[in-house]
Amino acid sequence: MSVERAYGAGLRRFLSIRLRGAPSDLPDIFQEIFVRLLRIKDHETIRNPQAYLYTVASHVLHEYALKRSIGPETMDPLELDSALPSITASDPANEAELQQQIADVAHALEKFSPRAHAVLLMYRCEGMTLAEIGKRLGVSHTMARKYLMRAIAFCDEYLEEHGAE
Amino acid sequence: MNSKQTVNKPYPQLREEATEWFVAFCEREVDTSGRESFDRWLRTSPQHVRAYLQISALWDGADMMATNTKTNIEELVKRALSEGNVLPLSADKTPSKVLTARRANSKRPTAWTAWRAAAACLLFVIAIAAGIVEWQLTRTLTYETGAAEQRTVRLPDGSTVQLNARSRIKLFFTTEERAVDLVDGQALFYVAKNPKRPFVVRSEAARVRAVGTRFDVYRKSSGVVVTVLEGQVAIRMSGLPETRLARQVSVVTEPALPVLVSAGEQAIVTGSAPTHAYRANLSVATAWTEGKLIFDSVPLRDAVAEFNRIGLRRIVIEDHSCLDRHISGIFPAADPSLLVEFLRQRFGLTVTETDEEVRLSGAAHE
């Protein structure tokens, strides 16, 4: 279920940039990821397009992080994590703020639709299947899935509107 | 929130599509031709890439919702149900006929209640039938991961398995035993307690038996590495059923004794016998679950092999003289570029990079 786990750090960094780093850099970052993705032959990526996307994205983000921190000449991989600027998720202050923002999103979602909120939490955090969730809420599997999609789309939209300026 | 139409809202329909794809991947519904069309979809524009990555990142961050709201399912369900049967969908998209009908019908006549009871009975029957089918299916289930992919699977007994990249397990669940074959790679097991139905992981000749515990099994080329995080496991070798083993033990054959591995310990099974348990560095052994690889004075040869086992891009070291040098460090598993940079500086190697391969060549002067 969580292919993205392996790229957690990269994706978390994304979220950070979007929410409090420099969202104006994002278009360039996406452009770069897109271009690199095109460079990979499609018969390669078809086997696991999602993994390729995440890998390419993590390379690009990593380079972006390097550019914003100290020059690569002085880099020691052992210290890199702490040397990265505030956009890294490993910064506790940043992590706390991110948590706060996620909490806000969750709150907004709950107000918007307690069901979509419940479905998202049960699915994402409790590892329940859609069938189990459907049973719990007395709705069909298809309906549970719709709630899940609605929840995700809502959160994404919310972040789009309330993210860092 | 929905009515607030912002000017800066570039891609509402892309968001819908991305969500659709994302959920389909979560639900593992995407087959080969699906992957193909997803790949095409992704290659359409940077906006598509953006939409999908933002959903993914959001998904990744959403695990923090749990710590924030102190998830209590009962409470959640109660609140969700009190909402009534209204699905507030943004606009045109898929407000199902059933829901709208129910909504209009909010003052339910008694016939409705009877109908509901009947429907509930029917659902119950269907659920049981589905349960049986599912049980049949899960008996020989296989789960696998590809390059640079990790996956967490909930087993039918409530146990959870976290699979590292390029790993495969097969389930052989019976009423007496929960057997899992680790065919390839590495997996971390969180076993649901059930003393009457022991949980056994089989890999090569090793049989790792646990009752409610957390442990990691890694099928390496050099042997099967078993690391225990919680509880205790017993490793014995296959071909010796327990009763016979017990008899043998009471007679003479010392090597047939199972090796007990407790929390914080590790044992390696090479060939026909496990080593004795020894203290292990747990954070090193399970760093992979956080997408990291930790090396503590490991020969470069092994470190590179570790990266190549799980990664998408192969690292090829043409200068064999440095393969036996030891390295230490913490590296992101999905991204070999840090290791490459480290090697370039440390050994003065020249790097040639493509999207599939990273070649390191040139003499290492020190």
Side-chain angles (χ1 to χ4, degrees), chain A residues 17-71:
Chain A
I17 298 174
R18 184 179 181 192
L19 293 181
R20 48 180 312 270
S24 55
D25 289 344
L26 283 174
D28 287 346
I29 293 177
F30 290 121
Q31 177 69 35
E32 181 63 24
I33 295 170
F34 178 67
V35 169
R36 290 203 199 177
L37 204 60
L38 289 189
R39 261 192 252 140
I40 307 174
K41 290 176 210 78
D42 52 4
H43 67 259
E44 274 290 318
T45 54
I46 284 169
R47 268 188 298 140
N48 199 341
Q50 200 173 231
Y52 265 97
L53 173 65
Y54 292 155
T55 306
V56 171
S58 89
H59 288 170
V60 173
L61 276 175
H62 177 64
E63 284 165 29
Y64 168 82
L66 279 183
K67 241 190 279 167
R68 286 178 51 113
S69 66
I70 42 173

Side-chain angles (χ1 to χ4, degrees), chain A residues 69-156:
Chain A
S69 66
I70 42 173
E73 286 77 23
T74 51
M75 181 194 69
D76 177 349
L78 297 176
E79 286 159 18
L80 185 86
D81 242 19
S82 52
L84 285 178
S86 61
I87 53 162
T88 338
S90 56
D91 171 2
N94 181 31
E95 186 80 350
E97 205 174 322
L98 206 56
Q99 280 227 354
Q100 186 50 52
Q101 267 154 327
I102 294 291
D104 292 347
V105 179
H107 187 66
L109 175 63
E110 220 232 315
K111 265 193 1 215
F112 167 70
S113 163
R115 285 196 179 205
H117 177 247
V119 171
L120 179 64
L121 277 173
M122 287 192 264
Y123 192 80
R124 175 68 179 95
C125 306
E126 299 297 317
M128 288 169 71
T129 66
L130 285 177
E132 286 166 352
I133 294 169
K135 235 178 272 175
R136 225 35 210 273
L137 293 178
V139 299
S140 68
H141 176 275
T142 323
M143 214 50 204
R145 190 192 164 107
K146 272 183 192 150
Y147 279 119
L148 177 65
M149 287 191 41
R150 193 62 214 116
I152 296 173
F154 174 86
C155 293
D156 187 51

Side-chain angles (χ1 to χ4, degrees), chain B residues 207-224:
Chain B
R207 292 173 62 80
V208 183
R209 183 190 151 126
V211 184
T213 186
R214 204 148 67 93
F215 63 101
D216 183 287
V217 182
Y218 184 11
R219 189 175 178 138
K220 275 178 132 164
S221 49
S222 53
V224 178

